[in-house]
Amino acid sequence: MAAARDVFDQDAHVRFDDFAARAGVGVGTLYRHFPTRESLAAAVYEGEVASLCDQAHDPSRSSSENLDAFLRGFVEYELAHAGLARTLALVADPAVLAEGGIELERTVADLLARAAVDGAIRSDVNVGAVMIVLHGIGAAIDRPLWASESRAAVELLLAGLRQPDFSR
């Protein structure tokens, strides 16, 4: 899986059989577990989404810090794995992408709810609005200033989530 993620991240156009050599396994093993390039890309994606979501709930951080870390981490993940995103856009089954999106949305909803209960963010924030911002970041992958604009977009989102300070 790690070898496949690296190939996808590099946007490398290798033959499907070459994944086996890079992973140090036989071609038969590759085909037995992943009969197509699409199934391999889907498995990498599912693993990456699970890993990203698992890191969202660090008990040593406050709910606000977990939310901030997840949203910033999502952007950094997108930036680091742009090649995988391009590959998935070309070969992945929309149902697989939808499942990953559901898991991401469930994680964001939980982070928002916890931070709202703790009074760290506004309580009127809709998870769909946050997901649209995150999807927009991913969809803008070919913009010339994508990295800096993506980081700025998530900071704007985080600022908009905060409770207004009327004490000033």
Side-chain angles (χ1 to χ4, degrees):
M1 296 298 286
R5 185 186 62 237
D6 290 343
V7 170
F8 290 133
D9 283 346
Q10 297 168 11
D11 269 338
H13 297 287
V14 300
R15 293 178 326 119
F16 187 60
D17 290 357
D18 292 336
F19 281 98
R22 290 190 182 211
V25 299
V27 174
T29 300
L30 175 68
Y31 279 102
R32 199 168 27 262
H33 293 285
F34 309 104
T36 65
R37 185 181 191 95
E38 176 183 284
S39 65
L40 180 58
V44 169
Y45 172 71
E46 289 167 353
E48 294 297 305
V49 167
S51 176
L52 190 61
C53 292
D54 286 346
Q55 297 171 24
H57 302 290
D58 182 338
S60 69
R61 296 188 301 225
S62 70
S63 61
S64 177
E65 291 168 331
N66 273 330
L67 178 62
D68 291 2
F70 179 82
L71 293 175
R72 287 183 180 122
F74 179 88
V75 169
E76 294 306 318
Y77 177 85
E78 287 278 322
L79 297 174
H81 300 289
L84 176 60
R86 284 187 180 97
T87 299
L88 287 166
L90 295 174
V91 302
D93 178 352
V96 170
L97 296 176
E99 287 175 26
I102 290 167
E103 186 173 352
L104 285 169
E105 187 163 340
R106 193 173 318 139
T107 298
V108 171
D110 183 56
L111 291 169
L112 290 172
R114 290 173 188 240
V117 165
D118 290 347
I121 66 167
R122 299 169 22 196
S123 61
D124 64 341
V125 176
N126 181 302
V127 67
V130 174
M131 295 306 295
I132 286 173
V133 172
L134 297 180
H135 286 296
I137 288 169
I141 196 168
D142 292 318
R143 287 184 56 82
L145 300 174
W146 181 54
S148 62
E149 290 173 343
S150 295
R151 289 181 180 115
V154 83
E155 293 306 321
L156 183 61
L157 172 61
L158 287 168
L161 291 172
R162 301 285 172 242
Q163 288 283 10
D165 183 4
F166 295 114
S167 64
R168 295 181 200 189

